[in-house]
Amino acid sequence: MSYYFVIVGTQDNPLFEHEFGTSKAGGDGQARFLEQARHMNQFIVHSSLDIVEEVQWGTGQMYLKCIDRFFNNYVSCFLTGGNVKFMLLHQPPSSAVSSSANPRASTSTIATNPTSPQTEEAVRSFMLEVYESWVKAIMSPFYHVNMEVRSPIFRQRVAAAGRKYL
């Protein structure tokens, strides 16, 4: 499964972006987005912001689960207390989508069904770990609200959380 993670600020500006692939079930951690569709990731996530703004006031939860779907792309969202949005676009491999139509297909990996409870729990755990790193990063006296995060340590922690849970 391929992932595109972005942190969106309070003014709908991107603060951090990271693209990675699954490390589970023999994955190498490389994103497998099609080259001609890779530029669409930002547009898909940005279009999901309208849905986030509708859903966020109807629930008291920080993790909003899978909020949007665009063709074979699923978008999950986590809100912080300061209205910063963690958005994760995940795209299952095309072989997993075709095998999910088969009722006898194995559902042991999270890549086979992007909306399964196992996948939702893995994404939730990923978001919580990134949130913990986010809080540590923004507590820096050099960080200002809605400023892009350029810390290599924060990027390493996001990548490590991706390897650990996704």
Side-chain angles (χ1 to χ4, degrees):
M1 192 174 317
S2 298
Y3 300 96
Y4 172 71
F5 176 72
V6 63
I7 298 176
V8 180
T10 59
Q11 299 170 340
D12 293 342
N13 56 323
L15 304 179
F16 177 81
E17 294 177 293
H18 185 62
E19 193 174 276
F20 58 98
T22 189
S23 296
K24 303 286 184 186
D28 60 357
Q30 298 297 318
R32 303 275 188 248
F33 292 111
L34 296 175
E35 205 52 49
Q36 58 267 34
R38 187 178 298 263
H39 67 280
M40 292 296 292
N41 293 346
Q42 292 176 339
F43 294 113
I44 295 167
V45 170
H46 191 77
S47 69
S48 297
L49 288 174
D50 293 334
I51 297 171
V52 171
E53 290 175 359
E54 291 175 14
V55 173
Q56 77 181 2
W57 303 113
T59 180
Q61 303 295 322
M62 293 175 79
Y63 177 56
L64 301 180
K65 297 186 180 184
C66 187
I67 57 160
D68 195 13
R69 180 177 180 203
F70 181 78
F71 290 108
N72 191 27
N73 298 298
Y74 297 83
V75 179
S76 299
C77 181
F78 182 91
L79 294 168
T80 67
N83 201 27
V84 173
K85 298 153 197 82
F86 294 179
M87 309 284 288
L88 181 69
L89 175 81
H90 38 109
Q91 180 186 54
S94 57
S95 62
V97 172
S98 62
S99 69
S100 65
N102 181 0
R104 293 184 181 190
S106 172
T107 58
S108 60
T109 65
I110 64 172
T112 57
N113 186 1
T115 58
S116 71
Q118 295 87 2
T119 305
E120 292 290 347
E121 184 59 32
V123 170
R124 183 182 149 300
S125 298
F126 167 77
M127 296 284 200
L128 286 173
E129 188 159 323
V130 171
Y131 179 61
E132 184 178 319
S133 299
W134 171 256
V135 169
K136 291 176 183 176
I138 65 172
M139 288 181 65
S140 168
F142 301 109
Y143 180 80
H144 301 288
V145 177
N146 288 323
M147 186 176 78
E148 185 178 345
V149 177
R150 296 187 184 118
S151 169
I153 294 172
F154 181 74
R155 183 170 296 279
Q156 289 172 356
R157 288 181 178 168
V158 170
R163 283 190 302 274
K164 182 176 179 181
Y165 296 108
L166 305 174

